[in-house]
Amino acid sequence: MSSGPDPVAGEVVHAEDEAGPLLRFTGRIDREAVRRFRVLVTPADWPDRADLSGVTAVDAAGLQLLVHLSRKTQRRGARLRLLAVPAELEPALARAGLSRLLTQDGVPRSGAAADPDRTAPG
């Protein structure tokens, strides 16, 4: 039995950078990380940016959280932006319909027509 915290356990915390408030995701974002997040960060404090640079893995619960964050942000008239997404997470985000949220340096990525949940103009 280990006496300390799991070194790869995920965490989602409210943080701030030079551009303002954001959620910082680190480690393995799984059901337990999502549960801790929902207890510690109230929905009123959910910003419209999420830094995923420290994420090592994400399961269905983590993807569901991102979908929920996106919908809540849309209801406020804004758009959730996922920042610094590790390349290995992009296929899972695409399968979950979250590709449109990916940004590069805070700007939505081009090529949104390739997103499976958006239709091409025409």
Side-chain angles (χ1 to χ4, degrees), residues 12-14 23 36-47:
V12 184
V13 296
H14 191 272
L23 294 174
R36 284 191 308 270
F37 165 75
R38 288 183 183 264
V39 167
L40 297 174
V41 183
T42 63
D45 293 330
W46 295 355

Side-chain angles (χ1 to χ4, degrees), residues 9-34:
E11 182 175 58
V12 184
V13 296
H14 191 272
E16 195 156 325
D17 66 7
E18 64 280 351
L22 57 83
L23 294 174
R24 184 159 288 130
F25 288 66
T26 57
R28 185 181 61 242
I29 306 304
D30 57 13
R31 184 173 45 173
E32 184 58 28
V34 170

Side-chain angles (χ1 to χ4, degrees), residues 51-122:
D51 177 355
L52 303 184
S53 62
V55 174
T56 56
V58 63
D59 73 0
L63 292 171
Q64 184 178 21
L65 173 62
L66 291 172
V67 169
H68 186 72
L69 290 169
S70 175
R71 289 181 180 155
K72 178 138 178 76
T73 304
Q74 285 176 338
R75 285 193 297 270
R76 291 193 322 247
R79 181 172 173 256
L80 180 66
R81 291 168 291 153
L82 302 181
L83 310 172
V85 176
E88 58 271 14
L89 296 182
E90 289 184 21
L93 294 174
R95 285 190 302 276
L98 296 169
S99 294
R100 71 188 182 288
L101 305 177
L102 301 178
T103 64
Q104 187 167 349
D105 298 328
V107 178
R109 289 189 184 169
S110 60
D115 190 331
D117 60 350
R118 265 183 86 154
T119 57

